[in-house]
Amino acid sequence: MQDRYDFKAIETKWQKIWANEQAFKTTEDYDKKKYYVLEMFPYPSGKLHMGHVRNYSIGDVVARFKKMDGYNVIHPMGWDSFGLPAENAAIKNGIHPFTWTNSNINDMHDQLNSLGLSYDWDREVATCKPDYYKWMQWLFIQFYKKGLAYKKDNPVNWCPDCETVLANEQVVDGCCERCKTPVTKKHLSQWYLKITDYADRLLNNIDTLEGWPDKVKTMQKNWIGRSEGAEVKFDIDGTDKTLVVYTTRPDTLYGVTYMVMAPEHPYVLELVEGTEYETPVKAYIEESKRKSEIERTSLTKEKTGEFIGKYTINPVNGKKVPIYISDYVMMDYGTGAIMAVPAHDQRDFDFAKKFGLEIIPVVDVPDVDLDNLTEAAAAEGTMINSGEYNGMNNKDAIKKIIADLESKDLGKKTVNFKLRDWLISRQRYWGTPIPMIHCEECGWVPEKEENLPILLPTDVEFTGKGDSPLTTSKTFRQCTCPKCGKPAEREIDTMDTFLDSSWYFLRYCDAKNEDAIFDPKKVNYWMSVDQYIGGVEHAILHLMYSRFFQMVMHDLGLCDAEEPFKNLLTQGMVTKGYTDKDGNFVVAKMSKSLGNVVAPKEIQDKYGADTARLFILFAAPPEKELEWSDAGVEGSYRFLNRVYRLVYEYITDIRGDLKVPSEITINNADDKSLNMMINVTIKKVGEDAGGRFNFNTAIASIMELVNEMYKYKQNAEMNLALFDKAINCLLIVANPFVPHITEELWEQLGHTDRLYQAAWPTYDESALVKDEVEIIVQINGKLKDKVAMPNNSDKEVIEEAAKNLDKIKGELEGKIVVKTIVVPNKIVNFVVK
RNA sequence: GCCGGAGUGGCGGAAUUGGUAGACGCAGGGGACUUAAAAUCCCCCGGUAGAAAUACUGUACCGGUUCGAGUCCGGUCUCCGGUACCA
């Protein structure tokens, strides 16, 4: 045999066989328990990176294990194939986005197969293909009919580089999530989905997601940002207007010393018109409009603002307080105006200090000197300076004040959310056309469902400038109104690609259905997804949009499940160390710009896919960061060679032409210990790979089994039947991690069936029981000695044996044993004085 | 600031219910085989003292609960992730 196993030949051989045998094709078997393993589908950039390899290796272990464990496993893959890069390639190289995307899909398909991933390719979907986006359009129309899609003229986030609008969630630190360009505001008429209608449900259901990491749940909760408070009406002195504010601290109403409106507040211009304040106020509004999102929200920013010359009357005590405008108040949260309580809110405090405004404490917070405040006192306390509420705990006062305001029609209890409606229009070509038609007479009308899909036109120009490329089509825009039949115009914007990825997991359940989005029977069998695996960067965007879609589809009667993903595993980043420009060694996420990228192909060529998978799964638990180590890869390769040699030597040298006895007898201590090791490994790997998802420790225990087998082979009297069992078990338990080499060796052993069809072995509980156990002997909790005792010895017997150990005898000499703790099969602890 | 999470050998990491801290691997050291190298196989590998047996010490820091704490509780520090004029 060769020194090193020929991974290239073995891996291509088995990939071909699996494909020919349709090894991982799944059909609905309604009597069988199902398991849905899903990995986030990739954007077909053309090249797989290590993050993909990690994501899909994890998913593949779960899928292969669950299949062996007797589940009807669905493990699909597809392509999130609409999006900007294809369009940019078209602008740059003159290739049509479809051609570019399609060729990338083919490349990536091959790369995925070269990793030996167990996908059912019959369920493949690509969001850019008409058979998929037809149903996307159909779905949009259902949203529209349900009143969940609407068009609104509004200031929107605009990315000048991508030349398109962005949803709130796609603005990160004031910049475009994709290209990092600072986002500006633009006034446009755009389509929105009413995700805010589902805010409470999206929030409340989070607590039912037991299999989700707390981190992700908290991020979603914060993003939804529910707060309870009150709206309070303040009459504006000398006008017939009422300024409504939102506050979470109605208990501080007596501490209001001024009011602030957002510069965009619709009242502002009216209130200053014709007064001496008009000019400075208008200048301030202009200035704040000019500022970018980053400037407006920057941390170090000093408070700015402008008095507008008007006052409000405090409804609780009739006090007159001045009104300011300032950009620290946002128009799109609450009512766009606030009551300012500088004593108890830090932002108001800063503003009051700068503008010399009055500060009145109204809650006596323990350990705070209210007469010399250096910062706002936001904590709980007792009401003061607040008339009839004095002496109450401020938490109780909140309820009382709200009730009193409501009874006098001066305010009401209100719930507010940070979550905004989802802006889904994009001024781009490579996305699903929004199936809406504008008619002069009928307004916006959805396309007739029998006319779907509305295909993307092919006669467009990609200039990268101006409006959506769809405007350049001669045929696309003109149409007739589905309602009245008169000439009308189609919507030329396309959908945010996050819509496409919000329901792909449902389409996998019935990917080829031409008559419906899917068969509910199939979807109800497969859904929810039992295990979803992907990067934590989707914690808010994709995962919340998908939950929203699932709820809507549930409400539309399309499927039973209300939550799409039962369990979620967010895998950590793949990092690698490099030397930065200052000569420091740093570890960072693999990225082209840092030059610390390792291409999967490089590793596969040198060591094979099994080694790549093994290393990635072994080097760290899945949710943690994984630091790439070339030496570690080498080690994984070494291990696979060790396995290969072990099995090969067994076949040629040990078994040879001998017939393996069908009965296994345990003849001696070596046999007993090897047999125990076999059973321990089956148990441990099953628990770690199928339940805890700690693949690193699962692999460690497989390595231990291999070490044990080498020792046995060398030192023990060979028990052929037992060793044969060990060899077979080893291949089965290692198969989910390293499918090619194990499948090959399985065949070499002479099996005529396939390993991918094998059942997970059951372990023998009785084989796990040791005859003799090692008991730890402690004095005052410190380890002093160990003693071997028969399994399940009585407490008294153990204590006696421990006492009689020479070392313990000596230690106990002249001391009084105050107490003795005996934990059977584990420990004896003498407490002495 | 707020909300999460984490701090264990030279390194990645184990220790699942409070019961031998450091499994497994990497790196390192020593040995066997070889003309030699590679590969392979075996042994050692937290710290201090010691030739060794062994003793003491050790899971970021301080304190607590407990017969017993990496694990539980209180406080402190550091790092990572998320988020932020959200009223």
Side-chain angles (χ1 to χ4, degrees), chain A residues 433-462:
Chain A
I434 297 171
M436 298 298 293
I437 290 163
H438 191 257
C439 167
E440 289 288 332
E441 309 221 346
C442 311
W444 284 102
V445 183
E447 178 59 271
K448 288 181 186 158
E449 288 177 20
E450 62 262 33
N451 290 343
L452 300 182
I454 305 303
L455 293 171
L456 279 168
T458 46
D459 59 334
V460 294
E461 282 171 48
F462 298 99

Side-chain angles (χ1 to χ4, degrees), chain A residues 200-380:
Chain A
D200 258 322
R201 215 155 129 202
L202 285 165
L203 181 71
N204 295 335
N205 272 14
I206 290 175
D207 291 329
T208 69
L209 301 173
E210 283 168 26
W212 281 42
D214 288 337
K215 180 184 173 171
V216 175
K217 291 199 273 190
T218 314
M219 281 167 74
Q220 291 211 357
K221 279 184 187 172
N222 291 342
W223 190 265
I224 295 167
R226 185 180 195 273
S227 74
E228 280 183 17
E231 280 183 13
V232 185
K233 296 176 184 171
F234 285 71
D235 286 333
I236 300 174
D237 194 34
T239 72
D240 55 357
K241 285 195 173 351
T242 300
L243 188 60
V244 182
V245 300
Y246 172 72
T247 178
T248 53
R249 293 291 303 273
D251 55 318
T252 61
L253 213 43
Y254 283 83
V256 174
T257 55
Y258 65 101
M259 309 290 284
V260 190
M261 296 163 88
E264 306 91 337
H265 197 286
Y267 285 5
V268 176
L269 288 175
E270 254 183 88
L271 290 172
V272 294
E273 201 178 353
T275 72
E276 56 181 298
Y277 299 99
E278 187 170 358
T279 316
V281 163
K282 277 187 169 166
Y284 184 83
I285 295 172
E286 279 311 307
E287 198 194 320
S288 64
K289 252 190 217 163
R290 234 189 10 256
K291 283 183 193 165
S292 72
E293 200 70 3
I294 308 172
E295 284 171 311
R296 243 189 108 151
T297 57
S298 96
L299 232 167
T300 52
K301 212 200 80 179
E302 283 245 326
K303 295 275 180 293
T304 59
E306 212 50 65
F307 176 50
I308 67 164
K310 292 278 191 286
Y311 296 82
T312 62
I313 313 289
N314 190 328
V316 292
N317 58 8
K319 195 176 154 111
K320 247 172 85 168
V321 295
I323 308 175
Y324 284 76
I325 57 167
S326 173
D327 60 11
Y328 86 85
V329 174
M330 307 291 139
M331 190 58 225
D332 63 357
Y333 184 75
T335 61
I338 61 153
M339 59 179 225
V341 187
H344 303 290
D345 181 284
Q346 191 58 41
R347 294 151 300 177
D348 298 346
F349 184 86
D350 295 341
F351 191 90
K353 282 280 173 198
K354 174 136 187 218
F355 288 83
L357 293 155
E358 202 182 355
I359 298 173
I360 306 175
V362 290
V363 178
D364 188 11
V365 177
D367 306 320
V368 172
D369 179 7
L370 293 176
D371 296 329
N372 298 295
L373 284 173
T374 50
E375 57 180 1
E380 249 181 87

Side-chain angles (χ1 to χ4, degrees), chain A residues 437 471 473-481 487-490 492:
Chain A
I437 290 163
T471 50
S473 166
K474 294 190 174 62
T475 51
F476 185 75
R477 209 162 181 180
Q478 304 90 327
C479 63
T480 53
C481 172
E489 277 193 346
R490 268 186 209 292
I492 46 132

Side-chain angles (χ1 to χ4, degrees), chain A residues 793-802 822:
Chain A
S793 298
D794 287 334
K795 279 190 175 190
E796 293 75 23
V797 180
I798 297 171
E799 187 178 338
E800 207 46 42
V822 183

Side-chain angles (χ1 to χ4, degrees), chain A residues 722-790:
Chain A
L722 179 65
F723 202 75
D724 187 76
K725 181 186 170 188
I727 293 275
N728 280 285
C729 279
L730 168 65
L731 294 182
I732 299 176
V733 299
N735 177 259
F737 308 91
V738 284
H740 308 91
I741 185 173
T742 48
E743 190 85 70
E744 171 68 18
L745 289 170
W746 185 258
E747 190 184 60
Q748 301 250 350
L749 276 174
H751 290 288
T752 47
D753 60 345
R754 300 294 190 215
L755 196 44
Y756 69 78
Q757 294 166 318
W760 192 258
T762 48
Y763 57 88
D764 176 4
E765 201 69 60
S766 67
L768 301 176
V769 179
K770 294 180 183 169
D771 292 339
E772 232 179 32
V773 290
E774 195 177 55
I775 309 267
I776 304 308
V777 185
Q778 297 179 331
I779 292 176
N780 289 342
K782 294 213 168 167
L783 171 72
K784 291 293 170 187
D785 207 352
K786 298 167 191 177
V787 59
M789 297 292 293

